Amino acid sequence: MTIKEYNEIVNTYSDSLYRFALKNIKVVEDAQEIVQNAFEKLWINRNSVDIEKCKAFLFKVAYNYTIDIIRKQKKEVDMEVVTYNEPQADNSDFKDLKRILERALESISEPQRNSIMLRDYEGYSYQEIGEIMQMSESQVKINIFRGRKNLQQILGNMEDYL
Amino acid sequence: MKEITEEQQWLIFELLEGNLSKEESETTLKSIHNNPEQFQFYNELKLTYLIPDNSILFNKKQTLKKSIFTIQIQSTLKYAAAIAVFGIISWLFYFSKLNKINPQISSTRRIENQNNLKNTLEPEPKLSVITQNKDTRIPTKKSQITPNFSAPKVALTAPLKKLDSPIINNAFSFENSFLTQILENQYLSDEEKLSKILKWKRLNAEANLNKTENTENSNLENNKVELVFTDFEQLEKDHQKQLRKLWFTEARNGLKYGKIPQVKLVSSKKENNWIPQVNLQLKANTTYINASLIQ
């Protein structure tokens, strides 16, 4: 991988990678750190990583970092967390289905959320998602199905949710 | 709402995911339109599909990018670091070596000062080959030796005036100078210094012997070279005296640092005596003295 190719990959995938990290952990600094770490790892392994598979490599690294951070956050409950500066929705904002869906997404389990995000945001196949998340294709499919069902139930019971 | 079976739910999910064939899709859509529960589930599930939020951008792209300049700096830094490490190791190695050499130099200089060798230094006499008109080629066969033949001879280019004591002093100072140079040499071990001194002594003795022959046999018609027969016995005595003095100084200095002179038994056999002679050799730093034990 040449410097030019690497820089093109930064241009192409850094936004989607950052989006993926930010949607998962909601902390801007952590999301930026995840992106930087992922690209640094790509640069170190530039001779062994195939250019066609570099996107999967980046998301795999980012996913692993995300999981680590989420686990830390779960342990350090008392720690003060600077949250992603998303406009806090009042009841009127919830009319926006997109925002409702994003809030609902936080309620489902991590494997289901990540599977759906990789599927919808990045258009990955079940097999590719399985490679990133280190699980089988059928497991990915089940996660997506159950995740969507959960989201559908949340959206169906919107009044209760609010 | 009436519950629909999980199988139907899966079929709707597969339809939305785009995993069904055209025929399967048509059949499923027909079923969905004919069943209000399935239709509601289909519509609700369709809402769960996320739309990418392209408004979120990573604005620190430049920090991730690499340039040829940064790569060069990185590689240069690697080389610089390697050179620095090599330099430090070299310096440490040199410093440790210097620490070993310095005490040797200082001890040698101390011995020199004690013996006042530097005060006795005088210009060195030069050696030259006497060219003669005779055939000086070395014969390879006995039959080639002619009555006119004489081997090339080496002699001291002494001053034309015949002076006894200055010549002795010159030879003596030359010897002192030679000894000083050998002792000051940092690149020679003690054994090498000793062997060189002994070799020089042997050569000096041979030269003196040749000199004696020259004095007896040389043709002094041209009167250009005049050789002086020095008192070799006296020279040897002085030399031995000097060596003994040096030995005592070295032994005393060695004892200061807890270094005892080495004791060695050396046997030698004379031609006319079948009983070997055993000598006790006491070696200080560079010099040694022999003491006869049994004969």
Side-chain angles (χ1 to χ4, degrees), chain A residues 3 6-7 11 14-15 18-19 32 39 43 97 101 119-121 126 141 145 148-149 152, chain B residues 9 13-14 17 19 41 44 47-51 53 56-58 60-61 64-66 71:
Chain A
I3 298 166
Y6 171 82
N7 289 338
N11 280 335
S14 61
D15 288 333
Y18 177 62
R19 217 173 287 141
Q32 286 175 346
F39 276 101
W43 176 252
L97 184 66
L101 198 58
R119 179 77 175 163
D120 292 355
Y121 286 153
Y126 301 129
K141 203 171 178 179
F145 174 67
R148 289 200 195 286
K149 259 186 81 176
Q152 177 252 333
Chain B
Q9 286 177 358
F13 169 73
E14 295 278 21
E17 288 285 304
N19 297 335
F41 182 81
E44 284 176 0
L47 292 173
T48 63
Y49 280 80
L50 305 168
I51 301 155
D53 187 356
I56 300 169
L57 297 170
F58 185 70
K60 290 185 176 177
K61 285 192 186 78
L64 301 176
K65 286 180 182 176
K66 307 281 180 190
I71 303 300

Side-chain angles (χ1 to χ4, degrees), chain B residues 142-156:
Chain B
K142 199 176 178 180
S143 58
Q144 290 173 344
I145 298 171
T146 57
N148 207 20
F149 171 79
S150 68
K153 291 170 185 177
V154 179
L156 288 167

Side-chain angles (χ1 to χ4, degrees), chain A:
Chain A
M1 187 186 294
T2 62
I3 298 166
K4 197 182 172 185
E5 286 168 340
Y6 171 82
N7 289 338
E8 277 174 14
I9 289 164
V10 170
N11 280 335
T12 313
Y13 300 124
S14 61
D15 288 333
S16 54
L17 200 68
Y18 177 62
R19 217 173 287 141
F20 172 74
L22 191 63
K23 294 278 178 193
N24 253 307
I25 55 173
K26 306 288 177 190
V27 182
V28 175
E29 288 78 16
D30 285 348
Q32 286 175 346
E33 196 184 326
I34 287 169
V35 175
Q36 280 170 343
N37 288 341
F39 276 101
E40 196 57 43
K41 210 158 188 175
L42 177 68
W43 176 252
I44 292 164
N45 297 292
R46 63 187 180 278
N47 295 324
S48 56
V49 178
D50 190 5
I51 296 172
E52 289 171 4
K53 290 186 176 179
C54 69
K55 190 187 175 187
F57 177 86
L58 286 168
F59 274 88
K60 191 175 180 176
V61 174
Y63 173 75
N64 290 331
Y65 277 119
T66 307
I67 298 299
D68 288 344
I69 289 171
I70 288 168
R71 280 175 190 161
K72 274 184 191 172
Q73 282 176 348
K74 276 181 185 172
K75 283 180 185 174
E76 299 163 7
V77 182
D78 297 333
M79 205 179 82
E80 191 184 343
V81 179
V82 181
T83 52
Y84 162 52
N85 195 20
E86 189 179 16
Q88 291 299 308
D90 57 11
N91 286 353
S92 60
D93 284 333
F94 277 90
K95 288 172 187 170
D96 185 354
L97 184 66
K98 196 178 162 186
R99 291 189 193 285
I100 296 166
L101 198 58
E102 278 175 5
R103 286 296 296 271
L105 205 59
E106 290 172 34
S107 308
I108 61 174
S109 70
E110 176 267 315
Q112 289 173 4
R113 182 173 64 244
N114 278 311
S115 303
I116 291 170
M117 279 165 64
L118 288 168
R119 179 77 175 163
D120 292 355
Y121 286 153
E122 306 304 326
Y124 276 124
S125 67
Y126 301 129
Q127 192 189 344
E128 287 169 330
I129 295 166
E131 282 173 16
I132 292 167
M133 296 180 67
Q134 292 164 335
M135 54 178 70
S136 68
E137 201 177 321
S138 56
Q139 268 182 312
V140 173
K141 203 171 178 179
I142 289 166
N143 275 333
I144 291 171
F145 174 67
R146 286 183 183 161
R148 289 200 195 286
K149 259 186 81 176
N150 286 334
L151 288 174
Q152 177 252 333
Q153 279 173 3
I154 292 166
L155 292 172
N157 303 321
M158 187 59 68
E159 285 179 6
D160 296 337
Y161 180 71
L162 292 172

Side-chain angles (χ1 to χ4, degrees), chain B residues 1-228:
Chain B
M1 191 181 84
K2 195 180 173 183
E3 283 289 322
I4 56 170
T5 60
E6 191 154 335
E7 196 182 337
Q8 287 171 331
Q9 286 177 358
W10 261 106
L11 210 60
I12 293 165
F13 169 73
E14 295 278 21
L15 176 74
L16 287 168
E17 288 285 304
N19 297 335
L20 297 179
S21 64
K22 197 179 175 182
E23 289 175 359
E24 284 172 335
S25 299
E26 282 174 4
T27 317
T28 312
L29 276 171
K30 271 183 186 175
S31 170
I32 288 166
H33 284 292
N34 293 332
N35 190 325
E37 286 82 20
Q38 281 185 25
F39 186 71
Q40 192 183 349
F41 182 81
Y42 170 78
N43 280 333
E44 284 176 0
L45 201 67
K46 207 159 68 170
L47 292 173
T48 63
Y49 280 80
L50 305 168
I51 301 155
D53 187 356
N54 294 326
S55 64
I56 300 169
L57 297 170
F58 185 70
N59 51 15
K60 290 185 176 177
K61 285 192 186 78
Q62 290 304 318
T63 60
L64 301 176
K65 286 180 182 176
K66 307 281 180 190
S67 67
I68 295 166
F69 180 68
T70 52
I71 303 300
Q72 279 175 347
I73 284 177
Q74 281 176 1
S75 58
T76 313
L77 279 174
K78 275 183 195 173
Y79 290 122
I83 289 164
V85 168
F86 178 75
I88 289 164
I89 290 168
S90 307
W91 184 79
L92 287 172
F93 180 74
Y94 173 74
F95 188 70
S96 63
K97 196 121 186 171
L98 204 68
N99 279 343
K100 282 181 185 174
I101 290 167
N102 275 342
Q104 289 178 1
I105 294 168
S106 60
S107 67
T108 311
R109 282 186 181 151
R110 200 166 49 245
I111 292 162
E112 273 178 14
N113 291 333
Q114 283 167 356
N115 291 331
N116 294 322
L117 288 174
K118 282 185 178 177
N119 297 334
T120 59
L121 284 176
E122 285 178 28
E124 298 171 9
K126 291 177 182 174
L127 288 173
S128 68
V129 176
I130 296 170
T131 48
Q132 295 180 358
N133 294 328
K134 292 177 182 176
D135 185 8
T136 57
R137 286 175 297 174
I138 298 167
T140 51
K141 289 176 185 175
K142 199 176 178 180
S143 58
Q144 290 173 344
I145 298 171
T146 57
N148 207 20
F149 171 79
S150 68
K153 291 170 185 177
V154 179
L156 288 167
T157 52
L160 293 173
K161 264 191 169 180
K162 194 173 181 178
L163 297 167
D164 281 345
S165 55
I167 294 298
I168 291 165
N169 283 342
N170 263 351
F172 191 65
S173 64
F174 175 71
E175 186 181 345
N176 282 341
S177 166
F178 172 77
L179 282 171
T180 311
Q181 282 177 13
I182 291 289
L183 289 171
E184 277 185 352
N185 197 324
Q186 297 170 15
Y187 302 101
L188 293 175
S189 66
D190 291 347
E191 286 179 2
E192 284 170 334
K193 284 176 185 176
L194 186 66
S195 72
K196 282 190 185 299
I197 290 166
L198 290 171
K199 193 178 176 184
W200 185 83
K201 282 290 295 174
R202 196 176 68 246
L203 287 168
N204 194 32
E206 284 171 7
N208 275 304
L209 201 66
N210 286 332
K211 194 169 63 185
T212 314
E213 286 173 4
N214 271 338
T215 315
E216 289 166 356
N217 303 327
S218 65
N219 188 358
L220 296 173
E221 279 174 5
N222 51 13
N223 202 23
K224 280 181 183 173
V225 177
E226 190 176 350
L227 295 165
V228 181

